[in-house]
């Protein structure tokens, strides 16, 4: 799962630059927020259980809650974006005054494209939101809410109506969707390739080949990535010990968890936890 919105908050924004060719390591699903992001540079493909679509520099991409998705690079261009997350409750005044139908239609589009002048205008709005988010003022949430609503209206009004992303059937078969769901809900157990293949209704050998061909990663690596992600969330948002987190996320010991965590992130769990939030 992606990082949830921190407890007590209803809005977050992040400006990030990723290495060339960066891809999400596994399918993820937001459960407590909507996403809307501006692509500063890069070319991405979003894979969902039902369809795939591409977006590029200058586009605004959106995602509703409860949809498994994975984004991958389609070129070697540097990938930089600003991503906003907000809860359904945070958007309620927008729904009351502008309308549920506009909000739903906007997020149904998934990707909006703009003429050059509008791209710069919307990019500036994202940066202004990020700047406001860094401040500590009594009316911060109220101000951010108004700025977000203005952004949503601008995206809706200035998008190019006929320039929608080409949507293609998803490469994920139902058996792989079942496997992804099984991993996400049982990652903390002693998951095996054989058990998951049985859940997907396939032989172990065929399941292993199909999993790699459709998700671009081996079963064991995928499961490890899911466990590491959940461990990151626990490290950031709980006071549990390293050993407790290791056992809760499916690792056999604290030492093995620490070695795997460092191999994938380049730092120890303790160093990750000590980073500024």
């Amino acid at each position: 799962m992606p990082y949830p919105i921190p407890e007590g908050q209803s809005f977050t924004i992040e400006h990030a630059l990723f290495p060339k060719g960066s891809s999400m390591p596994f399918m993820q699903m937001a459960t407590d927020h909507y996403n809307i992001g501006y692509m500063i540079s890069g070319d991405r493909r979003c894979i969902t259980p039902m369809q795939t679509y591409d977006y590029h520099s200058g586009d605004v991409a959106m995602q509703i809650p409860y949809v498994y998705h994975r984004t991958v690079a389609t070129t070697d261009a540097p990938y930089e974006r600003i991503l906003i997350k907000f809860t359904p409750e945070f958007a309620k005044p927008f729904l009351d005054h502008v309308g549920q139908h506009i909000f739903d239609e906007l997020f149904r589009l998934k990707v909006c494209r703009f003429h050059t002048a509008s791209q710069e205008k919307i990019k500036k709005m994202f940066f202004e939101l990020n700047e406001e988010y860094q401040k500590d003022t009594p009316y911060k949430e109220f101000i951010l809410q108004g700025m977000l609503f203005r952004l949503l209206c601008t995206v809706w009004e200035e998008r190019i109506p006929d320039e929608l992303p080409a949507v293609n059937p998803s490469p994920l078969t139902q058996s792989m969707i079942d496997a992804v769901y099984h991993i996400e809900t049982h990652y903390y157990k002693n998951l095996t390739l054989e058990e998951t293949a049985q859940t997907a209704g396939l032989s172990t050998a065929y399941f292993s080949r199909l999993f790699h061909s459709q998700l671009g990663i081996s079963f064991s690596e995928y499961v490890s990535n899911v466990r590491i992600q959940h461990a990151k969330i626990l490290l950031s948002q709980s006071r549990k010990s390293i050993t407790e987190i290791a056992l809760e996320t499916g690792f056999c010991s604290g030492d093995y968890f620490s070695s795997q965590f460092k191999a994938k992130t380049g730092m120890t769990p303790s160093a990750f936890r000590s980073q500024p939030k």
Side-chain angles (χ1 to χ4, degrees), residues 218-234:
S218 70
F219 172 80
S220 60
E221 187 75 6
Y222 186 96
V223 172
S224 180
N225 289 341
V226 171
R227 287 170 171 163
I228 292 293
Q229 176 68 6
H230 282 274
K232 285 181 177 180
I233 294 171
L234 288 173

Side-chain angles (χ1 to χ4, degrees), residues 98-160:
V98 179
Q100 181 80 48
H101 65 289
I102 289 180
F103 184 84
D104 291 344
E105 177 64 15
L106 186 60
F107 277 83
R108 185 193 67 79
L109 295 174
K110 300 179 181 63
V111 176
C112 290
R113 295 189 170 127
F114 311 89
H115 295 298
T116 303
S118 294
Q119 285 181 0
E120 290 303 314
K121 179 179 179 179
I122 289 168
K123 178 181 177 181
K124 182 180 178 182
M125 293 172 73
F126 270 90
F127 273 98
E128 288 173 344
L129 269 156
N130 190 39
E131 183 179 347
E132 189 65 36
Y133 182 70
Q134 309 304 323
K135 297 178 182 178
D136 186 15
T137 61
Y139 309 111
K140 174 179 173 177
E141 183 166 306
F142 177 75
I143 294 171
L144 288 171
Q145 202 170 41
M147 293 176 74
L148 174 64
F149 296 168
R150 177 169 171 257
L151 172 66
L152 293 175
C153 289
T154 303
V155 169
W156 173 257
E157 292 170 352
E158 302 203 15
R159 74 195 191 284
I160 304 175

Side-chain angles (χ1 to χ4, degrees), residues 23-245:
S23 298
M24 286 170 57
F26 57 92
M27 299 289 285
Q28 299 185 16
M29 177 177 68
T31 59
D32 64 346
H33 60 266
Y34 288 85
N35 288 338
I36 179 169
Y38 182 81
M39 285 281 291
I40 299 170
S41 65
D43 302 282
R44 307 293 290 174
R45 174 164 298 152
C46 183
I47 303 169
T48 76
M50 302 303 294
Q51 56 192 201
T52 65
Y53 52 90
D54 295 347
Y55 50 101
H56 312 278
S57 173
D59 291 346
V60 168
M62 295 149 288
Q63 189 66 258
I64 63 173
Y66 300 105
V67 173
Y68 274 114
H69 66 283
R70 179 174 181 240
T71 66
V72 299
T74 57
T75 68
D76 286 334
Y79 171 37
E80 184 178 5
R81 56 97 171 121
I82 297 183
L83 180 66
I84 293 171
K85 301 177 182 180
F86 61 93
T87 64
E89 293 76 18
F90 193 78
K92 190 175 184 306
F94 182 90
L95 307 182
D96 293 342
H97 291 84
V98 179
Q100 181 80 48
H101 65 289
I102 289 180
F103 184 84
D104 291 344
E105 177 64 15
L106 186 60
F107 277 83
R108 185 193 67 79
L109 295 174
K110 300 179 181 63
V111 176
C112 290
R113 295 189 170 127
F114 311 89
H115 295 298
T116 303
S118 294
Q119 285 181 0
E120 290 303 314
K121 179 179 179 179
I122 289 168
K123 178 181 177 181
K124 182 180 178 182
M125 293 172 73
F126 270 90
F127 273 98
E128 288 173 344
L129 269 156
N130 190 39
E131 183 179 347
E132 189 65 36
Y133 182 70
Q134 309 304 323
K135 297 178 182 178
D136 186 15
T137 61
Y139 309 111
K140 174 179 173 177
E141 183 166 306
F142 177 75
I143 294 171
L144 288 171
Q145 202 170 41
M147 293 176 74
L148 174 64
F149 296 168
R150 177 169 171 257
L151 172 66
L152 293 175
C153 289
T154 303
V155 169
W156 173 257
E157 292 170 352
E158 302 203 15
R159 74 195 191 284
I160 304 175
D162 298 331
E163 289 202 17
L164 300 175
V167 176
N168 304 304
S170 172
L172 297 185
T173 59
Q174 186 60 50
S175 57
M176 288 301 101
I177 296 171
D178 293 342
V180 165
Y181 180 76
H182 183 73
I183 293 168
E184 183 60 40
T185 53
H186 296 82
Y187 66 89
Y188 53 90
K189 296 182 177 179
N190 182 27
L191 272 180
T192 64
L193 178 65
E194 292 76 16
E195 174 201 341
T196 310
Q198 186 175 13
T199 299
L202 302 173
S203 71
T204 302
Y206 180 63
F207 172 78
S208 180
R209 293 195 300 271
L210 193 65
F211 192 96
H212 193 282
S213 68
Q214 292 193 14
L215 291 166
I217 189 173
S218 70
F219 172 80
S220 60
E221 187 75 6
Y222 186 96
V223 172
S224 180
N225 289 341
V226 171
R227 287 170 171 163
I228 292 293
Q229 176 68 6
H230 282 274
K232 285 181 177 180
I233 294 171
L234 288 173
L235 286 166
S236 299
Q237 301 187 3
S238 80
R239 296 181 178 275
K240 294 179 178 179
S241 69
I242 302 300
T243 300
E244 287 176 314
I245 291 174

